Structures are given as C-alpha cells and as structure tokens.
C-alpha cells in the first residue's frame, strides 16, 4: 500500500509540474557572484576607456593585474602587424595575426570571468572595443 501511495504521489507531482518547452527563457531568481569585483559607481561609460580598464584592474590581485597588463601589451603590439597584413592582403599572415590576437583576447576574457561580475565584464568589453576596435569587428 505504501508503494502505491508513493507512486501515486510521484505521478501527481509529475503531472502538476509545468515542463513547458516554450522558447520563453526562465527568469534568473538568484545570482551568486561571491568574491567578484563589481561595478565602480563613480566611473562613467563616457570616461576614457583606458582609464576604465586601469581602474578595474587596480581592484584585482597584483599577479592577475600583471598578467592582464602583459596580455594587453601583447595585444597592442599585434595591431600594427594586423594593419600591415590587412593592407598587403596577405591572407596567410593575416590569419596568423588574427589567431594571435584571438589567443590574447581569449586569455584576457578568461581572467575577466574569474575576477569580475558579468556587468563589469561587459563594461570592460566595451572599453577594450574602444581602445582596440579590431576586437569588435
């Protein structure tokens, strides 16, 4: 009898739950972002993008900041090579430079994901796009 009641209860729960497969996304009820760095209220999106990047980087551990700065320098050093390869229409060189840019950018984004909230990650993407337009193409 207990087994029958348990099966009956499971059936009622299963039938009463809504398992809609509609294209409507489920709302996010809770987002835990723990130790991640959040938005700096005093910064505006109209501020100098390099200043925005620097301000957020000053809030993370020194080791991560140094890694990000090295990646950023590497990214900046690749831009002239991109322009030369693009202007020369050298598809092999252009592919290599784009691959190198993508590698640096992916590493930067990975650290951003570990250190910053989603909102700050978006702010940094916009700031990087202003400083390095190649990233938003």
């Amino acid at each position: 009898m207990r087994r029958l009641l348990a099966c009956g209860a499971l059936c009622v729960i299963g039938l009463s739950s809504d398992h809609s497969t509609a294209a409507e996304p489920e709302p996010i009820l809770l987002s835990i972002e723990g130790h991640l760095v959040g938005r700096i209220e005093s910064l505006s999106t109209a501020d100098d993008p390099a200043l925005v990047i620097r301000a957020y980087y000053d809030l993370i551990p020194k080791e991560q900041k140094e890694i990000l700065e090295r990646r950023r320098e590497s990214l900046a050093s690749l831009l002239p090579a991109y322009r030369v390869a693009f202007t020369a229409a050298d598809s092999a060189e252009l592919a290599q430079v784009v691959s190198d840019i993508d590698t640096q950018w992916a590493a930067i984004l990975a650290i951003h994901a570990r250190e910053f909230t989603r909102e700050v990650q978006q702010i940094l993407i916009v700031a990087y796009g202003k400083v390095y337009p190649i990233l938003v193409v």
Side-chain angles (χ1 to χ4, degrees):
M1 184 66 165
R2 284 185 186 168
R3 194 175 280 168
L4 183 58
L5 286 175
C7 287
L10 287 175
C11 288
V12 169
I13 291 171
L15 292 173
S16 66
S17 66
D18 183 19
H19 292 288
S20 174
T21 57
E24 191 174 310
E26 292 185 21
I28 297 173
L29 300 177
L30 177 64
S31 177
I32 300 174
E33 296 186 301
H35 67 284
L36 302 178
V37 174
R39 184 172 179 266
I40 300 172
E41 296 296 328
S42 62
L43 280 179
S44 166
T45 55
D47 288 337
D48 175 41
L51 170 76
V52 170
I53 294 168
R54 196 170 34 256
Y56 281 107
Y57 284 9
D58 285 343
L59 299 175
I60 61 174
K62 183 180 177 184
E63 306 80 36
Q64 295 301 312
K65 179 182 176 183
E66 289 171 355
I67 292 169
L68 283 168
E69 290 300 332
R70 282 194 304 271
R71 295 283 185 177
R72 198 168 157 210
E73 288 170 10
S74 294
L75 188 62
S77 72
L78 290 166
L79 295 181
Y82 174 83
R83 288 186 195 101
V84 168
F86 184 80
T87 303
D90 184 344
S91 60
E93 182 66 23
L94 187 61
Q96 181 60 50
V97 172
V98 168
S99 175
D100 293 344
I101 289 171
D102 288 345
T103 299
Q104 296 302 323
W105 182 229
I108 289 168
L109 291 176
I111 294 173
H112 286 180
R114 286 193 307 268
E115 298 295 332
F116 301 107
T117 63
R118 288 185 191 138
E119 180 183 20
V120 173
Q121 290 174 47
Q122 284 304 117
I123 291 168
L124 289 170
I125 287 171
V126 169
Y128 265 88
K130 290 177 181 176
V131 175
Y132 309 106
I134 184 67
L135 297 176
V136 294
V137 174

